[in-house]
Amino acid sequence: MSAESSHAHEHHWEWSQAPFWVVAGVFFLVPLTFAAYFQYQNPLLAAIFAGLGTPMLLAGIAMWVNEGLTVKPLIADVAGIGLPIFIISEIFIFLSFFVAYWMMRLGADVWPPEGTPEFPVTLPLIMTVVLLSSSVTIHIAEEKYAHNDHGGFVKWLIFTMLLGLMFISMTFYEYNHLFHEEFYPDTNAFGTIFFSLTGFHASHVIGGLGIFVCVLIPALRGLTNKTFITCASIYWHFVDVVWFFVVSQIYFW
Amino acid sequence: MSMQTFKEWFFTTDHKRIGIMYLIGSMTAFVVAGMMALLIRLEQSQLGPTITDNPNEYNQWLYFHGAAMVLAFLIPGLTGFFANYFLPLMIGAQDVAFPRINAFSIWLFYGAIILALLSFVIPDPPDIMWTGYPPYSITTMGNTAYYVFTLHLLGFSSVLGAVNFLVTVIYMRAPGIGWNQLNIFTWTTVAAFVLQLVFIPVLASAVTMLLFDKYLGTNFFNPEAGGDVLLYQNLFWFYSHPAVYVIFLPAVGILFEIFTTMCKNRVFNYKACVYGGIWGIVGISGFVWVHHLYVSGMPDWLRIGQMVTTLLISVPVGLMVMSMWGTLYKAAITFNTGMLYAISCLFLVLSGGLTGIPLALTAITVHLSETSFVHAHFHFIMAMFSAFAMFGGIYYWFPKMFGRYADGKWATTGFILNIVGVHVTFVPLFIIGAQGMPRRYWDYQMFPQFEPYHQVATLGAFMVAAGMSVTILNWIICAFKGKVAPENPWKSCSLEWTHAPNCPQAGNFPNPPTVTADWSPYGYADREANLKATTDPGFPGAAKPAE
Ligand code: HEM
Ligand SMILES: [Cu+2]
């Protein structure tokens, strides 16, 4: 896709279409679709925007992953530093939601507020174990990769993804269960914070799974890149660590 | 333009071209938001309905004006355009660490601009001011979602910019450049990005909660169900006070580049300026947000505590201002348009800063809060100090970007109209603000005595409009037709002038520079020795500054 510079002293104007299409996709898929549906209550328009945005987004991501794996970067391996810096930012997002939670909870007369059903204890424990194991499996995958065992890497990556999927299914199972008990995001302050914190975390799990898909598909064709794998794995560990805070604050406090 | 050239511009990942795209985008935002300011001023120029009898329309102008000026003009202009174009050149890098992510940032920024501009054509546009306070933002018919997503897009863009530039400065400095050899502009940009990285997520979360509350029925800000309205204000200002420094710091950085070059002088008290001034501000910035909530109600320990921290901010600011004056002291100063803007900033920061002190004092601010005194105060710092620093920077680096000068009688005319105009606009707002003119009101029937002041302010606004029209036209014309500038026309010591040719090409440097420990971007005391402390620039006319 993009012009690649081969010699240190001979430069071309570099370009890439990937970022444009990703943003175009996001632009249709998120602000336009959301506002069409919720603000203007026009599901048809929302569907059209989503239909336009999705292919753009997917095409953009595909181009980007492809370039990331084939074009030599200007300076090697710094993505492994960039990602942790980005994670600092993510931490502050979660922190803001926790602050909202603490303010509500510490300011409340009774907690949990009226309308909150009994919460399960075993399910979150199982979810914790599942997510924790997935951190172990992705680590094994990385080890396999480091020892040039490509087949082993793919295998353990798939294990990780299956564990992630299991985690997400359990989240949906639990949401479903709570909806049956008439507990919704708008039920009370706890509903608000419960669904936004766990939902926000779950969206990160889904994001992590998306990254794994981007690693896996080229890997099946034999295309991999160490930094890419390291980043995916750092991100996954981060999502795992956040879960400890979520689970301890929400279920076991 | 051939297809290839088009692609190389439109889909570019080069930091200089992305910088130019930021310049175009942020100046567009400035022009449209400036027109809104004129509408606001026209409406206020007479008692009663003047150009609209619909207060909602007035609200939409105010919304667009404030949001676009802060979020789409100043922040992207400073951390998008200036940082992108000049920071890699100053540290001797060929590009930023993640060029594609850089392109991603610019597109997110344009997405936000398009979304904001859409508010002129959609039904029920956002009408919630740039602050978006609930409960109004939740109960209004207006499209709060667009406000939220505009902030999301801009925020994501800035956070990725932060990642990009922090990694770039840490890993891509030319071999030999130590921390104490960085340009002040580089330091201020790094500091601004640290602030963006840490504080933007908080804003993003706050507006996300707004979105959920309005459209999904959650209760974050709904006291009836255990939520807390003040939570929004706290989270919002926890970001938006530091955001002031995201604007202020790079503006100061630009001024230092202009001052040192035009004075042929080192930075006075470099270390105090960097470690005390810049990082002092970063350190305190997260502990002062409550001064925006003085009239919202809070416990006294918090109010008094944050009054103290707010006043403490004057220490690091003072250190930086002292360094600026110290750099000018006894120097042989060259005057040109860039320098005119830079010097005016020394006075603007004084008026803006000193009027902040009564606002910080809990007793006095109860009287001044929510009056046009506040407007005048922050316009002195943001609209005038920071914007003028940017304009000065554009004149200063114009030869670098376009190989031509933009100075001349039109430039000076624009400057004079601007500096006179902003004072004619905002000094009256100080006066009537102190007498109780409420801010953000569509009309002021209860205060007929303020009408003449509003008329003067409106006159001033039109002077600025004239001044900016001259200025912007002059830039556009000079970019293509201006007098051709030699390499390093101001005889600077900084790498972007000594080692990169005018209109740098892809890859920036014919010979990527390396420097020794004796080199400094401000090594004017012994220019020859300073140049010898670097490697050959590799293009004619660079090593010896053109006479
Ligand atoms: C260049 C000439 C400018 C003029 C004539 C102007 C004029 C005004 C006026 C008349 C108001 C509303 C006052 C009221 O409510 O009574 C206002 C508000 C505001 N202006 Fe400007 N402005 C200018 C530039 C800027 C710039 C460069 C910024 C960037 C920081 C800026 C930021 C704001 C903000 C944040 C508000 C508050 C909006 C709100 O309260 O919702 N202005 N301006
Ligand atoms: Cu503040």
Side-chain angles (χ1 to χ4, degrees):
Chain A
M1 227 342 99
S2 98
E4 210 179 322
S5 60
S6 39
H7 302 287
H9 285 277
E10 192 187 306
H11 292 282
H12 311 267
W13 290 105
E14 306 271 347
W15 58 281
S16 164
Q17 289 199 27
F20 174 82
W21 291 112
V22 175
V23 174
V26 169
F27 186 76
F28 278 99
L29 203 53
V30 187
L32 294 191
T33 305
F34 186 98
Y37 189 84
F38 286 102
Q39 171 75 28
Y40 299 110
Q41 320 222 315
N42 187 339
L44 180 66
L45 192 62
I48 294 176
F49 284 146
L52 283 171
T54 313
M56 291 189 207
L57 178 63
L58 293 180
I61 293 175
M63 280 186 229
W64 202 326
V65 171
N66 184 43
E67 288 175 22
L69 291 169
T70 51
V71 181
K72 201 171 149 297
L74 195 59
I75 120 167
D77 288 342
V78 283
I81 314 290
L83 188 76
I85 295 182
F86 179 70
I87 286 180
I88 297 179
S89 200
E90 291 260 27
I91 291 174
F92 275 86
I93 297 192
F94 280 101
L95 207 58
S96 312
F97 278 88
F98 276 116
V99 166
Y101 174 37
W102 296 328
M103 300 268 288
M104 285 183 192
R105 179 158 185 167
L106 299 175
D109 298 330
V110 278
W111 195 271
E114 205 187 321
T116 312
E118 208 41 53
F119 266 70
V121 193
T122 20
L123 190 66
L125 283 180
I126 300 174
M127 288 166 85
T128 311
V129 173
V130 168
L131 205 57
L132 197 65
S133 339
S134 73
S135 252
V136 176
T137 52
I138 190 65
H139 182 73
I140 299 178
E142 261 189 290
E143 288 291 306
K144 297 280 176 202
Y145 183 80
H147 291 91
N148 282 326
D149 175 0
H150 191 75
F153 162 70
V154 170
K155 195 174 83 194
W156 285 96
L157 178 62
I158 292 178
F159 282 157
T160 313
M161 292 170 70
L162 288 177
L163 287 170
L165 274 178
M166 244 169 96
F167 180 88
I168 289 294
S169 333
M170 285 189 276
T171 308
F172 284 139
Y173 170 81
E174 179 171 30
Y175 281 9
N176 201 16
H177 170 76
L178 288 171
F179 291 159
H180 274 297
E181 306 221 358
E182 308 273 296
F183 187 66
Y184 300 106
D186 56 2
T187 305
N188 56 30
F190 188 55
T192 294
I193 209 67
F194 172 83
F195 284 103
S196 52
L197 258 179
T198 55
F200 207 56
H201 176 265
S203 73
H204 278 69
V205 176
I206 295 174
L209 287 174
I211 299 175
F212 285 150
V213 171
C214 296
V215 177
L216 181 68
I217 294 177
L220 293 175
R221 291 184 294 144
L223 257 183
T224 44
N225 166 321
K226 174 151 186 325
T227 323
F228 194 16
I229 296 171
T230 318
C231 286
S233 142
I234 295 177
Y235 192 75
W236 193 254
H237 292 313
F238 161 70
V239 172
D240 195 357
V241 171
V242 170
W243 175 250
F244 281 107
F245 289 93
V246 175
V247 88
S248 58
Q249 291 291 302
I250 295 275
Y251 292 93
F252 297 106
W253 175 22
Chain B
M1 199 192 280
S2 75
M3 196 58 199
Q4 186 64 18
T5 330
F6 170 76
K7 283 183 188 160
E8 283 177 0
W9 263 105
F10 194 77
F11 297 121
T12 186
T13 58
D14 182 89
H15 71 99
K16 301 179 291 298
R17 291 187 161 181
I18 289 179
I20 296 290
M21 285 163 74
Y22 266 114
L23 179 64
I24 295 170
S26 55
M27 288 311 295
T28 309
F30 176 77
V31 170
V32 182
M35 289 174 184
M36 297 300 112
L38 294 180
L39 293 179
I40 296 168
R41 282 298 356 138
L42 278 177
E43 178 54 46
Q44 304 259 287
S45 64
Q46 271 172 44
L47 278 174
T50 309
I51 54 172
T52 178
D53 48 14
N54 178 359
N56 264 338
E57 214 171 331
Y58 181 81
N59 280 355
Q60 287 150 17
W61 301 336
L62 261 183
Y63 161 75
F64 191 92
H65 172 76
M69 284 294 192
V70 179
L71 301 164
F73 164 58
L74 286 176
I75 295 180
L78 287 160
T79 62
F81 162 60
F82 281 101
N84 254 299
Y85 202 110
F86 303 110
L87 188 142
L89 293 172
M90 279 180 183
I91 62 171
Q94 295 177 34
D95 206 320
V96 293
F98 310 110
R100 277 180 191 73
I101 293 183
N102 208 11
F104 191 52
S105 290
I106 183 86
W107 286 117
L108 287 170
F109 166 61
Y110 271 97
I113 293 209
I114 294 172
L115 207 55
L117 288 176
L118 278 180
S119 63
F120 289 118
V121 295
I122 52 172
D124 304 328
D127 57 349
I128 53 175
M129 303 302 130
W130 79 288
T131 44
Y133 278 8
Y136 183 69
S137 52
I138 292 171
T139 54
T140 172
M141 288 293 290
N143 186 346
T144 301
Y146 272 23
Y147 165 78
V148 171
F149 288 118
T150 306
L151 295 197
H152 279 166
L153 291 169
L154 288 170
F156 197 26
S157 167
S158 289
V159 164
L160 291 175
V163 172
N164 218 334
F165 279 90
L166 294 180
V167 174
T168 304
V169 174
I170 298 173
Y171 288 96
M172 295 178 72
R173 279 167 292 139
I177 301 189
W179 295 112
N180 290 329
Q181 289 164 288
L182 289 180
N183 289 69
I184 298 286
F185 177 73
T186 305
W187 273 120
T188 54
T189 306
V190 167
F193 275 126
V194 167
L195 292 174
Q196 293 284 64
L197 185 74
V198 172
F199 290 107
I200 280 189
V202 180
L203 173 74
S205 308
V207 296
T208 306
M209 294 174 196
L210 210 57
L211 190 77
F212 289 172
D213 268 15
K214 180 163 166 67
Y215 297 103
L216 307 179
T218 53
N219 305 307
F220 284 105
F221 309 128
N222 174 11
E224 276 166 34
D228 179 358
V229 231
L230 281 188
L231 176 65
Y232 180 83
Q233 297 190 14
N234 277 297
L235 293 176
F236 180 85
W237 287 109
F238 188 68
Y239 166 70
S240 293
H241 182 82
V244 175
Y245 301 126
V246 172
I247 295 166
F248 181 75
L249 286 173
V252 170
I254 293 172
L255 294 181
F256 271 104
E257 300 310 318
I258 302 178
F259 284 145
T260 48
T261 301
M262 301 309 175
C263 299
K264 303 289 171 293
N265 207 352
R266 86 287 175 246
V267 172
F268 176 69
N269 264 351
Y270 179 94
K271 287 184 184 162
C273 175
V274 171
Y275 302 106
I278 299 171
W279 290 103
I281 283 201
V282 173
I284 306 180
S285 66
F287 306 98
V288 297
W289 79 91
V290 163
H291 64 226
H292 292 278
L293 281 75
Y294 281 148
V295 291
S296 304
M298 76 193 68
D300 273 345
W301 61 268
L302 195 55
R303 190 194 303 267
I304 308 274
Q306 297 237 338
M307 173 177 89
V308 174
T309 45
T310 303
L311 293 175
L312 263 182
I313 289 267
S314 34
V315 176
V317 171
L319 284 174
M320 289 194 290
V321 171
M322 246 153 59
S323 286
M324 288 198 242
W325 286 98
T327 307
L328 290 164
Y329 183 64
K330 283 196 176 169
I333 303 176
T334 312
F335 280 99
N336 47 38
T337 320
M339 194 62 181
L340 284 179
Y341 277 102
I343 288 190
S344 71
C345 286
L346 286 172
F347 297 94
L348 293 172
V349 74
L350 205 63
S351 345
L354 290 180
T355 52
I357 292 179
L359 289 173
L361 299 173
T362 49
I364 302 180
T365 199
V366 174
H367 176 66
L368 294 175
S369 194
E370 302 302 324
T371 69
S372 64
F373 189 91
V374 178
H375 268 147
H377 154 71
F378 72 69
H379 276 84
F380 261 86
I381 288 288
M382 304 224 280
M384 295 143 78
F385 171 80
S386 307
F388 279 25
M390 282 173 70
F391 300 155
I394 292 177
Y395 280 105
Y396 170 63
W397 278 302
F398 208 85
K400 177 72 0 191
M401 295 186 283
F402 302 109
R404 296 167 188 277
Y405 292 106
D407 296 54
K409 64 173 186 301
W410 289 112
T412 320
T413 313
F415 169 74
I416 292 172
L417 281 169
N418 284 343
I419 189 82
V420 177
V422 290
H423 283 91
V424 174
T425 311
F426 291 108
V427 171
L429 291 188
F430 269 134
I431 299 171
I432 56 178
Q435 295 173 18
M437 171 68 206
R439 68 182 283 203
R440 290 181 174 175
Y441 276 31
W442 166 64
D443 193 22
Y444 46 101
Q445 292 289 1
M446 48 310 209
F447 302 113
Q449 72 273 28
F450 294 152
E451 198 182 27
Y453 292 90
H454 278 296
Q455 284 166 352
V456 174
T458 306
L459 182 75
F462 277 87
M463 286 181 76
V464 180
M468 280 320 298
S469 309
V470 172
T471 306
I472 294 174
L473 273 179
N474 179 51
W475 285 336
I476 296 175
I477 294 170
C478 288
F480 298 102
K481 298 235 160 76
K483 184 164 157 264
V484 174
E487 299 293 346
N488 198 358
W490 321 120
K491 303 171 197 165
S492 171
C493 280
S494 182
L495 284 185
E496 86 272 22
W497 292 108
T498 57
H499 281 63
N502 286 351
C503 315
Q505 292 302 299
N508 292 344
F509 301 96
N511 277 344
T514 56
V515 308
T516 69
D518 300 328
W519 173 83
S520 153
Y522 308 119
Y524 294 100
D526 188 347
R527 180 192 293 272
E528 291 298 309
N530 200 52
L531 264 177
K532 286 212 188 75
T534 64
T535 47
D536 171 28
F539 66 98
K544 250 200 273 111
E547 291 311 318

